[in-house]
């Protein structure tokens, strides 16, 4: 058997992703700050969520866990193998006062461009790297496009969802060459994740 290198997203999705591949030996990793870890079956690397497809596309990692939002925004050459059924949330447009969309502030510039193309909107799209919900209150844009999970951030900033754009969840992505060379190991990983998804272990 060849060892798989798996890219894990740091931050809020890390624990859930770990639980999908944990065979009773990875628990200590949840709160660890060590970014490269070796186990019997896997070599785990922890990277920024947005960088997971970069590591997988380049073959540094054979596979990785990444949100569908990042895949849609960045368009990397990787196989998307499985919907892991975790990290469920959605992308939405929101405004302080329902009205015409005059400008959009977002981390997801490409998704916003596609939305505008599809809706024949010729407006400014402003790229931010976080705290997007602040934009309407300070007059940067009258609309935001962002992830909504619990809806708490929208509510805390007096924003109202005006359109749900798409559902998002974590996907297992695989390097194209690894998919050929390490097929057996990847099939085993997919089976393990599906088994965990069903709550068997
Ligand atoms: C994400 C997202 C929203 C928030 C949504 O931000 O961009 O701001 O979570 O979650 P909620 O509906 O449960 O409130 P994140 O916490 O990743 O920080 P960021 O603003 O720096 O992107």
């Amino acid at each position: 058997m060849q060892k798989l290198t798996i890219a894990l997203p740091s931050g809020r999705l890390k624990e859930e992703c770990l639980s999908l591949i944990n065979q009773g030996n990875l628990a200590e990793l949840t709160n660890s700050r060590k970014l490269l870890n070796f186990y019997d079956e896997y070599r785990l690397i922890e990277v920024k969520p947005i960088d997971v497809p970069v590591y997988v596309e380049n073959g540094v990692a054979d596979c990785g866990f990444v949100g569908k939002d990042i895949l849609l925004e960045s368009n990397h050459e990787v196989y998307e193998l499985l919907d892991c059924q975790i990290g469920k949330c959605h992308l939405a447009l929101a405004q302080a006062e329902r009205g015409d969309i005059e400008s959009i502030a977002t981390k997801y510039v490409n998704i916003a461009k596609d939305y505008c193309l599809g809706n024949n909107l010729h407006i400014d799209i402003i790229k931010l790297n976080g705290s997007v919900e602040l934009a309407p209150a300070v007059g940067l844009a009258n609309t935001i496009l962002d992830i909504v999970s619990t809806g708490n951030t929208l509510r805390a900033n007096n924003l109202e969802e005006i359109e749900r754009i798409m559902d998002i969840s974590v996907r297992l992505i695989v390097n194209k060459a690894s998919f050929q060379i390490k097929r057996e190991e990847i099939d085993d990983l997919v089976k393990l994740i599906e088994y965990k998804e069903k709550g068997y272990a």
Side-chain angles (χ1 to χ4, degrees):
M1 291 289 271
Q2 305 175 81
K3 208 181 273 246
L4 285 180
T5 298
I6 303 176
L8 280 176
S10 56
R12 65 171 76 187
L13 291 172
K14 176 182 163 186
E15 191 171 351
E16 272 189 292
C17 292
L18 265 176
S19 72
L20 283 181
I21 56 172
N22 187 9
Q23 293 175 306
N25 54 353
L26 303 177
E28 74 270 23
L29 260 187
T30 306
N31 297 313
S32 164
R33 294 291 300 154
K34 196 164 166 243
L35 303 178
L36 176 59
N37 291 281
F38 294 89
Y39 287 88
D40 287 346
E41 321 87 324
Y42 311 121
R43 183 171 170 254
L44 298 179
I45 58 173
E46 184 178 328
V47 302
K48 280 260 179 207
I50 199 168
D51 292 333
V52 167
V54 178
Y55 284 88
V56 174
E57 184 175 30
N58 287 295
V60 172
D62 298 301
C63 43
F65 293 99
V66 63
K68 182 71 178 173
D69 53 326
I70 290 173
L71 290 179
L72 288 168
E73 179 65 17
S74 60
N75 202 14
H76 286 277
E77 282 292 319
V78 294
Y79 292 134
E80 184 184 323
L81 226 56
L82 190 68
D83 181 343
C84 299
Q85 306 289 336
I86 59 169
K88 288 187 178 179
C89 54
H90 63 277
L91 272 175
L93 292 171
Q95 295 180 329
E97 280 172 38
R98 200 175 271 268
D100 289 344
I101 299 173
E102 292 159 6
S103 50
I104 298 178
T106 185
K107 286 180 272 188
Y108 303 99
V109 170
N110 293 324
I111 296 173
K113 280 184 187 158
D114 284 348
Y115 176 86
C116 290
L117 262 176
N119 290 276
N120 205 21
L121 280 176
H122 302 280
I123 55 160
D124 284 339
I125 296 169
I126 298 153
K127 162 84 178 166
L128 291 176
N129 294 298
S131 305
V132 175
E133 290 84 356
L134 179 66
V138 295
L140 186 62
N142 86 324
T143 307
I144 62 162
L145 188 164
D146 202 10
I147 290 287
V148 180
S149 177
T150 60
N152 288 341
T153 314
L154 287 186
R155 278 188 292 277
N157 292 284
N158 300 314
L159 295 171
E160 181 194 353
E161 186 172 322
I162 59 159
E163 187 174 338
R164 190 180 181 109
I165 305 228
M166 66 185 77
D167 289 336
I168 301 293
S169 57
V170 168
R171 308 299 162 102
L172 177 72
I173 56 168
V174 178
N175 172 269
K176 290 189 167 181
S178 302
F179 190 62
Q180 310 299 332
I181 301 162
K182 300 186 179 176
R183 186 61 184 265
E184 202 181 319
E185 292 78 3
I186 289 167
D187 283 348
D188 284 349
L189 178 66
V190 168
K191 276 187 219 143
L192 174 66
I193 294 171
E194 286 175 337
Y195 184 78
K196 295 270 181 180
E197 273 174 10
K198 290 182 182 125
Y200 292 145

